[in-house]
Every structure is written in structure tokens, then in C-alpha cells.
Amino acid sequence: MGEKGTWAVKKGLAEMLKGGVIMDVTTPEQARIAEEAGACAVMALERVPADIRAAGGVARMADPTVILRIMEAVTIPVMAKVRIGHFVEAQILQELGVDYIDESEVLTPADEQHHINKHAFRVPFVCGARNLGEALRRIAEGAAMIRTKGEPGTGNVVEAVRHMRLMMAGIRRLQNTPREELMAAAKEMGAPYELVVQVAETGRLPVVNFAAGGIATPADAAMMMQLGADGIFVGSGIFKSKNPAARAKAIVAATTYYNDPKVLAEVSKDLGEAMPGLEIAAIAPEQRMQDRGW
Amino acid sequence: MLIGVLALQGAFREHQQALAACGAESIQVRRPEELEKVNGLIIPGGESTTIGKLMMEYALIEPIKYRGEKGMPIFGTCAGMILLAKEIEGSEQPRLGLMNIKVRRNAYGRQVDSFEEDLNIPVLGDDPFRAVFIRAPYIMEVAPGVEVLARHEEKIVCAREGTFLAAAFHPELTSDGRLHMYFLNMVKKSIA
């Protein structure tokens, strides 16, 4: 029946997620709360990033049982994470039938030199990036969706903002670069020339670009959207807060009505306490998840 | 003539680009006031539960239903088709229920089963139409008066009922503008 796993189909699902919120969940109950709140997809995990950070040690792909239970609980797409470079964890997730794989810096990398060859898979991949060059490297490897890395599990939006601004500045710079200078720009960014030319011509990434890594409030989500994100990932921000259902619903509304301060003011009321935040400077350099992968 | 694209969530930008390529002007619709300005409405692909909840929360269901019943053409693709359907198999999710069809969500399975294929859509001419199906629904049943425009392996994937048009696939993701042109002609007729 038809052609499966084509680029149009992989990239297409990300297009359908746009303007939506993808929420980290660890149980079927949380998945149902997320779906009920209006999440456009969920990320099935054993632990949210804040708990992974607190636990330390090696973080791996979730137990398939956890993922399968969440897949049974909801009708919206279910994503799951693999370690950077761990192509066998990816083969397992594809076999389980997850809808999207996140090759994620939240887990402990399995390969410090090479990311997964994502073209080899029928299931689409999303990857984190801190700047345009990194985003284009992942796209060249087959990622059909990009998200900023931010600093996961912190409830601190500052790194997500930094990465989104760097990405957008990179795009604007290429748009104003004369054709004969694009090869040098490609060399400098460490990105494939063809993709650099494409971004220079179209003024946008070739795939959807979400914001992730530290988003904890409706205002955070709307700010990332105003900075140019196509949609929002919320990791620990929902289920580490005092009232997950209300906060989840408010972040969904803030992502749709990101340009409407009246709605933003309304949905920001009475949400209870947000997740406890972490100052980035308080995190030891070797504990910074965003520096995993290149 | 102005076309609205419901912009609560999903591929609304691609629909606006497809409309622009057809020479039509469009605006994003998130509020009832914006709906009042348009002559036709497209409900894009996306997550039907998300779009339905936001439609209910931000008071869009009744105004869209009202305009639809008064003759404003509406075109729903994928999630948009689900939201147009009167009946959604096994689901009580919010919807417009304007078309007398019964749909099955995620009817082809999960994302790994998403596919693209050439369809025969006679009302668009002899050339095949490249259709992208993403976690797509299909139409299980249609009431009398619903015109079946296309099938994929016996399943109904495109249909029209009066001023309402529904497709299970994503014409906004390919460069073939014929289905958008077909809808624009419906809108033109409705305001003539």
C-alpha cells in the first residue's frame, strides 16, 4: 500500500504538530491528562529530565513496557527518546511502532562522535540543536524535525532562548550573504553546502523547528513562539508543577494565542507553583546536557 | 474573496501557501471576529483532539457551525475532515458535525504506516493526484447526498456534501493545487 517512510511523510507529521505542545509523560495517567489538556503529542519516558538530572548515572531508552502502555492510553502521536548514536535503541522503538524518535541529549550519549544515520529508518526523528550549523548537520543525517536543546530539566528558559536566537540569527545572516560566500559560510558552520544554500534562499529551516529545554510557564511558551518557534516541547515543566492539568491546558492555549496578551494574562492566572527552577551557572559544566552531541 | 484558515494548531501555514499559489487571499482564524470576514474556511490537518478542544474553549464551534449552515463553504483536511464529521468512531471529542459522514481516526495505523500514493480524483481531471496520508482517517460511511470524490483501495478518502469538502490526505503538502482550486470554485459560486 503506497510508499511508506518517505521524506514527505516523515516531515509531514512534524508539520501537523506545529502550533502544538508536546508533553513529557511517564505513566498512562499522565498521558491521558496531557491529551485531555490538548497536547498534540506526548513523549513517553521512564523519568522526566529533572529526575534524570537528579538521579545521575547513565540514562537509557525507556523500558518498552512503559512506552507501550502509554501508546495504548492515548490516540495522539507518541514519541520516545534514544541515546545519541544508539541506533539499536532506535531499531527497537521503530519495531514498537512509536510515531517519532527523539535522539536526545537528555539521555547519556552512546556515541560521542557519530549521531544515528536517520535516513535508514522509516520512523521519523527529531534532534536537538543549539545553532543553525548543528541543526543542518542533523537534518543532513535525516532528522525530519529540529528542536532547540535549551537546558533540559531546569525550568529555566534562558538556554532555549539563547539557542532559538542563535538559530534565527544564523538564518538571517545567510539570507544576507552573497552566493559566492555561502561555501565559506558552510565550511565555517560545519554544515552541508546544499542545505546552507536552501536556507539562504528560503529564509527558513527545511524542517519544523520546536523550542525545548526549560519551558515552565505559559509566558515561556508564548515567548518562544514569538521568537519564531513552530511549537513547544515541555519536559519537566508540567508534571513537576503543583497543578499539572491546569498548567498543561494553559501552555496549550498560550502556544496557540502566543500573540494575544489578553489570553496570555487570563491563562496565566491561578496555576499554582511552577516547577522549581535551576540557575544555569549552578550546574557543573560536565552536567550540562546541551553539550552532549555536536 | 477572502479565505480563512483555522489557525489553532496544525498545518495552517501550508494551506495559506497553497492558497497563495492559487492566487487567493487568506487570513488566519483564531477568533470569532476573524471568522466574520471570510467567505470560506479551511480546517487544516493537525491533531483533531487539540483543535477540537481549542475550538470549544475559545467559542468557535457555534459561529463556524452557524456560518456553515448559512452556506459558507468549508474544506477539512485530515484532522479537519474528522472535525467536519457527524460521527467519529468510538469518540466523543468536540466537533462541528456538519457533514453526514462517519469517520475512523488513525485508520491506517501509526506513523510507520503513513504513506503517499497517486489517487484518481475524477472531478479534478485525468491526471493522478499525489496524496500524502499521515496517521490518516478515512470515511467509513456516507449518508445519501454525500458525493464520493475519491477512494483508496475501496475506502472513501475524499467527499463533498453541498458546500462542505473533506479529504483524508494533505493537498497542502504537495504542489498540486487542483483540490484547492476546486474549493475556491465552490466559494466563488457561494458568493455569486
Side-chain angles (χ1 to χ4, degrees), chain B residues 2-58:
Chain B
L2 185 64
I3 308 297
V5 181
L6 192 69
L8 299 176
Q9 192 269 320
F12 47 86
R13 190 169 68 208
E14 283 66 25
H15 270 295
Q16 285 194 285
Q17 285 162 355
L19 288 167
C22 294
E25 216 186 314
S26 68
I27 58 164
Q28 298 181 2
V29 172
R30 290 187 181 82
R31 311 198 139 276
E33 307 88 86
E34 290 155 347
L35 188 65
E36 283 166 21
K37 300 177 196 154
V38 304
N39 307 108
L41 182 70
I42 292 182
I43 306 176
E47 192 43 57
S48 67
T49 53
T50 303
I51 299 173
K53 281 172 208 300
L54 286 164
M55 275 168 85
M56 197 159 76
E57 190 81 14
Y58 291 88

Side-chain angles (χ1 to χ4, degrees), chain B residues 17-178:
Chain B
Q17 285 162 355
L19 288 167
C22 294
E25 216 186 314
S26 68
I27 58 164
Q28 298 181 2
V29 172
R30 290 187 181 82
R31 311 198 139 276
E33 307 88 86
E34 290 155 347
L35 188 65
E36 283 166 21
K37 300 177 196 154
V38 304
N39 307 108
L41 182 70
I42 292 182
I43 306 176
E47 192 43 57
S48 67
T49 53
T50 303
I51 299 173
K53 281 172 208 300
L54 286 164
M55 275 168 85
M56 197 159 76
E57 190 81 14
Y58 291 88
L60 282 160
I61 289 192
E62 288 311 316
I64 295 175
K65 262 171 120 165
Y66 179 80
R67 289 292 310 276
E69 280 158 3
K70 290 272 176 214
M72 177 184 71
I74 305 179
F75 178 20
T77 60
C78 194
M81 175 174 104
I82 295 168
L83 291 161
L84 276 175
K86 194 149 276 176
E87 235 187 301
I88 305 168
E89 186 190 38
S91 170
E92 296 302 314
Q93 68 192 81
R95 73 200 69 175
L96 296 164
L98 284 165
M99 275 181 90
N100 287 299
I101 56 176
K102 178 177 181 181
V103 299
R104 173 175 288 168
R105 287 184 62 202
N106 302 332
Y108 295 91
R110 306 197 71 94
Q111 172 62 13
V112 288
D113 299 309
S114 293
F115 63 98
E116 50 180 305
E117 193 157 14
D118 286 337
L119 287 185
N120 177 29
I121 310 179
V123 292
L124 301 183
D126 291 336
D127 290 339
F129 191 95
R130 190 69 177 170
V132 181
F133 290 81
I134 296 171
R135 288 173 47 94
Y138 61 62
I139 301 174
M140 305 167 72
E141 292 165 24
V142 296
V146 177
E147 188 188 351
V148 174
L149 301 185
R151 289 178 189 265
H152 172 261
E153 292 179 353
E154 303 306 308
K155 303 290 190 288
I156 302 167
V157 292
C158 188
R160 175 179 176 175
E161 184 179 19
T163 50
F164 306 127
L165 180 65
F169 50 91
H170 294 282
E172 75 281 14
L173 293 185
T174 53
S175 53
D176 191 336
R178 284 179 292 162

Side-chain angles (χ1 to χ4, degrees), chain A residues 242-286:
Chain A
K242 277 275 150 33
N243 189 348
R247 185 164 294 267
K249 201 173 156 196
I251 292 178
V252 168
T255 301
T256 293
Y257 293 96
Y258 66 92
N259 258 333
D260 191 332
K262 220 179 245 172
V263 174
L264 297 177
E266 195 52 43
V267 301
S268 298
K269 288 178 188 162
D270 296 325
L271 294 180
E273 225 169 294
M275 71 177 279
L278 256 181
E279 179 62 51
I280 304 298
I283 305 169
E286 66 275 14

